[in-house]
Amino acid sequence: MPLSIESKPIVSVAVPVPLRRTFDYQFETEIEPGSRVIVPFRNRQLVGMVIPTLPDKSITKHKNIIHVLDDQPFIPPTILKFYIWSANYYHYPIGEVIHTALPPNVRMAIKLSNPETPEHFIQNPKFPEADVLSTLVRARKQQLLYSSLSDGKCLRLDEIEKLPQISEIRNVRSGMQSLKKKGLVLQIHRPPTEIRPCEILLNREQSETLSKIKANQLGFHTHLIHGITGSGKTEIYIHTIHDCLKRGRQVLVLVPEISLTKQLVDRFINRFGDRVHCYHSGISKSERYRTWWKAGNGTAGVILGTRSAVFMPILNLAKIIVDEEHDLSFKQMDGFRYHARDLAIKRASLEEIPIILGSATPSMESMHNAHSGKYHLSILRKRAGKANLPKIEFIDLRLQPPHYGLSRQMISAIDKQLENSQQTILYINRRGYAPIVECSHCKWQANCDRCDAYMTYHKTNDRLNCHHCGNTSSTPEFCPQCRSPLFLRGSGTQRIEESLERLFPDASILRFDRDKIRSFRQLQKTLDFINKGQVDIIVGTRMISKGHDFHGVTLVGIINPDQGLYSIDFRAPEQLFQDLMQVSGRSGRGKDPGRVYIQTYHPENQYMQMVCGQDYDSFFASCRDERKAADVPPFSSFALWRIESRKQEEGFRLLQNIKHHGDRLRASMNFKSVQIMDPVLSPIIRIDDWHRFQLLVNATIRTELHQILNPWITWVENLPTSPKLRWSLDIDPMEMY
């Protein structure tokens, strides 16, 4: 691309490359920030975005912008400011931040168009239904699709896909288009449905919380709702959303997992109709783009999404709601390592609107902010309706050792559940059949040859799987070293499922983990089976613990929580308490009382006792005191350097150099609040043949942490790079090890 020497307007462009800077280009006319452009970059053409950064005056020659994709900016100034702030706070390349923020279709070098085509289908009234069905007698799938619109129904494609009689049809869109081409169905626009009034009466605690929220409708503030499981937080959300929609405004609702979107979508659609739109990885790219477009033009009243939805431009945003705010899934664990809850709070402050955080087990950071007066706090201590909290009891495994993972008392309790036709959840946060395969004679163990980790035995395909790198291998019949029989130690979901099938052959048993549920559609079907009472026993991992509302579940059995007591991560007690309280909260949410049995070798442990007493206040006070004494979050801020290298000595040498440069910066800037630890090996030293190291930086003054990181990361970026070395910087890391 030749360099232009004419005086033309110069703009700064963020491009999706791993460099923490923008690049200056020229064009014939001014281009407003927030517009996408195609620019030459080295030997490629990239889609970038013009941002309001002053050009570098030291550069006198600039390449030309190839093409401007947008007639007008589609990212408003406030959102662009939000993107730039996010890049600065997390010390991540602005181009890649914007790339992450945009839906896949918008990242492409194409002109954007309105996706709002007529999206509802009805039967063509010109043709009698009986005649049409007879002509489709040899096209069974089309016949089923046509019949789904009987009785004058007017349905969207996604509504048709959810119908039980359509569940076996894979390509519903293609079938409907075939019917449309034949003239048998019509595709039309339908005006938004009326917002149904809030008919459910709130109890005193809910009403008081809602009154506090309504009293602070204008301006930015953060309201934390600490409500026990089943206390009716969702109904408060619904009342709040109802008020916003009545004023012609929009609401963004963030949830940590796509598994939680179904129950909220069903409740929201029942109340707000087709004003509800979803944004998450379980839906198609075109659906995500449609939601993104409707949010931007104001026609999507409620946007329900997972963490990436926090970046979506929303025309008339009135409020943000973050449900299950404590959940680790809000933290992106690789690449752009942002925390969606924290970014949602920052976005609310930039847009000068309120934000609501809700959880039965609030994070230490959020509760600390509430206690210090930074957040407003509402507490819901009673379950909504007539439901009560379940009774939690321990099963001491020292007195009754488990047989294939289950104690006698647990087996007896499940048997009574089946007699009473009530559902049971068994929670074990471990996939596979057995986590360790070893020789009973020479103690050989099946380890991954690419990781410093055990291979997990999966009986469903009779293979050994590494849950870190994905490596798989066949299972040896005998010990490779001494030819002795192999022993399967420990239990995972598959082993518990097998034990249950042997003990209760007539029961309907369902396994709820990522090996069994691989798609969003599978997830929806599974949740429907459970809610319709077609399953007696559910064996699940952490997936089953998160916010689901199963009214038929009256017993929760927790199989092996003790591993959470042994972690060296200071957040482990918090994670354990949250997991156990959340999964316990699945029991007794209907009219029948609930019970929880926890199998443990350590019933006297203080955290276990707090779980048994469902005593969040004591847990928070205990953890707060420990963390304050140790000067760890929320009483300080962390940044974590991570290095991965093919050769162990090279990675450690690089991290030592990073440490030494950080020490020099700290001394020159006189930042006494910043503490730079020594480089250490990660607890799992090798994953996928990459050796792993880390360097922790702790600061009691957050601003000083970011001030030292700015020149520090620039220095690291300018070091000679090698494809055998990888480094990253994680701000506010949630998993330390």
Side-chain angles (χ1 to χ4, degrees):
M1 175 66 64
L3 298 179
S4 173
I5 59 173
E6 297 179 12
S7 177
K8 298 178 181 178
I10 308 298
V11 295
S12 292
V13 180
V15 293
V17 295
L19 297 172
R20 290 163 176 78
R21 51 163 295 193
T22 58
F23 299 86
D24 295 342
Y25 293 87
Q26 64 182 10
F27 197 60
E28 299 292 338
T29 59
E30 294 285 350
I31 307 173
E32 291 188 59
S35 304
R36 294 175 308 143
V37 293
I38 301 176
V39 297
F41 188 84
R42 294 179 180 169
N43 59 348
R44 297 178 291 165
Q45 292 184 2
L46 299 177
V47 176
M49 181 173 292
V50 177
I51 64 171
T53 302
L54 293 176
D56 186 347
K57 293 183 179 180
S58 65
I59 299 176
T60 57
K61 294 183 178 181
H62 301 88
K63 291 184 179 181
N64 291 314
I65 288 173
I66 297 171
H67 183 62
V68 179
L69 288 168
D70 305 314
D71 297 330
Q72 58 185 14
F74 66 88
I75 300 296
T78 302
I79 300 302
L80 206 51
K81 184 179 180 181
F82 174 54
Y83 293 168
I84 295 169
W85 184 92
S86 302
N88 291 336
Y89 181 82
Y90 288 102
H91 299 270
Y92 204 71
I94 177 62
E96 297 203 336
V97 168
I98 293 174
H99 185 78
T100 300
L102 301 180
N105 293 12
V106 183
R107 301 170 190 165
M108 300 167 63
I110 57 175
K111 202 170 184 65
L112 302 181
S113 60
N114 189 342
E116 293 190 69
T117 56
E119 54 186 20
H120 289 84
F121 292 91
I122 62 169
Q123 292 182 355
N124 191 334
K126 289 170 46 178
F127 305 106
E129 183 173 356
D131 293 347
V132 172
L133 291 175
S134 65
T135 63
L136 296 175
V137 67
R138 293 186 179 180
R140 180 176 171 275
K141 292 181 180 179
Q142 290 185 27
Q143 193 179 59
L144 285 172
L145 291 171
Y146 183 83
S147 298
S148 69
L149 302 174
S150 293
D151 302 321
K153 288 180 182 175
C154 179
L155 299 175
R156 292 196 313 265
L157 188 70
D158 61 326
E159 293 173 326
I160 296 171
E161 289 175 336
K162 293 175 183 176
L163 296 172
Q165 65 269 33
I166 307 300
S167 60
E168 296 181 2
I169 301 178
R170 289 188 176 181
N171 198 334
V172 174
R173 182 181 295 275
S174 175
M176 294 306 298
Q177 291 302 322
S178 296
L179 291 172
K180 179 185 171 184
K181 287 179 182 178
K182 295 175 182 178
L184 303 178
V185 301
L186 303 176
Q187 198 169 356
I188 64 169
H189 282 292
R190 188 171 73 179
T193 55
E194 286 296 316
I195 302 172
R196 294 182 58 192
C198 296
E199 299 169 348
I200 297 178
L201 295 177
L202 302 182
N203 61 29
R204 181 181 58 81
E205 289 183 335
Q206 290 173 309
S207 297
E208 290 176 355
T209 300
L210 187 61
S211 295
K212 289 181 184 178
I213 292 171
K214 287 183 175 181
N216 294 278
Q217 294 278 41
L218 302 176
F220 166 68
H221 72 272
T222 305
H223 196 122
L224 174 63
I225 302 177
H226 174 204
I228 62 170
T229 54
S231 59
K233 294 184 291 295
T234 303
E235 197 59 37
I236 295 173
Y237 303 158
I238 287 173
H239 278 71
T240 303
I241 293 168
H242 183 272
D243 291 343
C244 293
L245 295 183
K246 282 294 186 182
R247 292 186 282 121
R249 305 293 298 279
Q250 296 167 275
V251 180
L252 172 64
V253 182
L254 296 179
V255 294
E257 297 257 10
I258 61 173
S259 63
L260 293 182
T261 59
K262 177 177 168 34
Q263 67 174 27
L264 281 179
V265 166
D266 290 346
R267 290 187 67 175
F268 285 0
I269 287 179
N270 184 52
R271 194 66 60 85
F272 308 122
D274 50 14
R275 285 175 170 82
V276 180
H277 296 268
C278 292
Y279 191 87
H280 55 77
S281 61
I283 59 178
S284 66
K285 292 179 181 178
S286 59
E287 286 178 284
R288 270 182 278 172
Y289 176 58
R290 189 175 294 111
T291 296
W292 186 86
W293 182 281
K294 288 187 173 185
N297 68 17
T299 56
V302 184
I303 299 98
L304 179 64
T306 47
R307 58 176 176 253
S308 62
V310 74
F311 299 109
M312 187 181 300
I314 302 174
L315 183 64
N316 294 307
L317 186 60
K319 193 160 292 184
I320 300 175
I321 297 171
V322 182
D323 192 30
E324 307 292 351
E325 65 84 25
H326 68 277
D327 201 291
L328 283 180
S329 296
F330 281 122
K331 173 73 171 180
Q332 173 68 34
M333 296 299 185
D334 55 18
F336 176 29
R337 292 176 164 88
Y338 66 94
H339 198 301
R341 177 201 62 211
D342 298 345
L343 284 185
I345 295 169
K346 181 60 182 180
R347 177 169 181 179
S349 73
L350 291 173
E351 305 229 22
E352 298 182 349
I353 59 172
I355 179 170
I356 299 171
L357 312 179
S359 175
T361 53
S363 65
M364 290 294 297
E365 288 82 0
S366 293
M367 188 55 78
H368 174 70
N369 285 331
H371 278 242
S372 63
K374 191 175 180 181
Y375 296 172
H376 297 184
L377 176 64
S378 291
I379 301 177
L380 308 176
R381 300 189 184 277
K382 295 182 179 179
R383 281 192 159 179
K386 298 180 180 179
N388 294 309
L389 280 174
K391 182 181 179 182
I392 300 179
E393 299 178 40
F394 292 124
I395 297 175
D396 191 339
L397 295 181
R398 296 169 300 185
L399 303 179
Q400 46 175 309
H403 183 63
Y404 295 113
L406 299 174
S407 62
R408 294 191 310 274
Q409 189 175 349
M410 189 74 80
I411 294 170
S412 176
I414 297 170
D415 193 34
K416 289 180 181 177
Q417 287 286 106
L418 295 172
E419 289 178 9
N420 296 329
S421 300
Q422 294 178 330
Q423 291 177 306
T424 299
I425 288 177
L426 293 183
Y427 170 74
I428 177 168
N429 197 31
R430 181 169 274 163
R431 293 186 292 128
Y433 188 87
I436 298 175
V437 178
E438 67 179 9
C439 174
S440 56
H441 180 67
C442 72
K443 304 305 178 184
W444 172 89
Q445 293 178 326
N447 294 317
C448 178
D449 57 10
R450 301 202 301 240
C451 305
D452 293 330
Y454 298 123
M455 298 281 275
T456 298
Y457 175 61
H458 284 243
K459 193 169 185 177
T460 52
N461 57 4
D462 191 28
R463 292 189 69 80
L464 297 173
N465 289 9
C466 176
H467 290 173
H468 296 282
C469 71
N471 184 26
T472 68
S473 65
S474 58
T475 307
E477 292 186 29
F478 302 99
C479 173
Q481 290 185 171
C482 69
R483 307 300 294 171
S484 298
L486 292 175
F487 176 69
L488 303 176
R489 184 149 61 90
S491 296
T493 49
Q494 292 179 10
R495 190 168 211 163
I496 299 299
E497 179 186 34
E498 181 184 80
S499 298
L500 291 168
E501 288 172 345
R502 185 177 63 253
L503 291 164
F504 309 109
D506 297 328
S508 172
I509 301 165
L510 184 145
R511 180 158 48 87
F512 199 103
D513 61 23
R514 297 195 187 281
D515 296 318
K516 188 78 171 181
I517 300 172
R518 296 179 177 272
S519 69
F520 184 59
R521 178 170 285 193
Q522 268 186 311
L523 173 66
Q524 290 178 306
K525 287 182 181 179
T526 302
L527 293 174
D528 284 338
F529 284 143
I530 297 172
N531 284 316
K532 290 175 182 176
Q534 297 174 344
V535 179
D536 298 317
I537 308 171
I538 306 108
V539 182
T541 56
R542 190 174 286 162
M543 288 177 69
I544 200 67
S545 71
K546 298 185 176 184
H548 300 294
D549 198 359
F550 303 133
H551 279 249
V553 173
T554 54
L555 174 66
V556 167
I558 299 173
I559 304 301
N560 183 23
D562 289 350
Q563 55 189 332
L565 299 174
Y566 309 134
S567 174
I568 57 176
D569 191 337
F570 74 93
R571 282 196 172 91
E574 179 182 9
Q575 185 70 59
L576 176 66
F577 184 86
Q578 289 169 342
D579 284 351
L580 298 190
M581 290 302 298
Q582 289 287 337
V583 74
S584 296
R586 301 315 107 206
S587 178
R589 297 172 75 95
K591 64 181 187 302
D592 297 318
R595 293 172 298 153
V596 179
Y597 287 132
I598 302 177
Q599 294 187 165
T600 175
Y601 289 99
H602 305 283
E604 72 288 343
N605 179 274
Q606 64 165 333
Y607 296 120
M608 288 294 189
Q609 288 295 320
M610 292 171 188
V611 169
C612 186
Q614 304 182 63
D615 189 356
Y616 176 88
D617 293 338
S618 294
F619 168 78
F620 170 74
S622 175
C623 268
R624 177 192 57 200
D625 293 344
E626 289 178 3
R627 294 194 186 185
K628 188 173 183 179
D631 255 347
V632 297
F635 299 97
S636 67
S637 299
F638 277 0
L640 190 67
W641 291 96
R642 290 189 175 97
I643 301 292
E644 296 179 338
S645 63
R646 290 300 189 187
K647 293 183 178 180
Q648 184 168 330
E649 61 278 5
E650 289 183 2
F652 196 71
R653 190 183 310 120
L654 172 60
L655 201 54
Q656 284 180 316
N657 291 338
I658 291 174
K659 151 79 170 168
H660 292 153
H661 189 73
D663 288 337
R664 290 192 291 270
L665 286 171
R666 178 180 177 272
S668 66
M669 302 171 89
N670 195 27
F671 282 171
K672 295 180 180 179
S673 80
V674 177
Q675 184 181 9
I676 303 173
M677 311 299 183
D678 290 327
V680 295
L681 293 165
S682 298
I684 302 179
I685 299 172
R686 184 173 57 102
I687 291 182
D688 201 16
D689 276 335
W690 287 90
H691 299 272
R692 305 164 69 243
F693 315 88
Q694 57 195 50
L695 173 67
L696 180 65
V697 186
N698 188 10
T700 54
I701 301 176
R702 186 185 294 270
T703 54
E704 291 191 355
L705 174 66
H706 288 281
Q707 286 171 12
I708 196 174
L709 287 174
N710 281 323
W712 198 355
I713 199 169
T714 300
W715 181 84
V716 175
E717 274 188 323
N718 291 324
L719 290 174
T721 58
S722 164
K724 296 181 180 180
L725 284 170
R726 302 190 300 209
W727 65 268
S728 64
L729 178 63
D730 191 355
I731 306 298
D732 303 328
M734 298 304 293
E735 289 189 341
M736 302 291 298
Y737 304 101

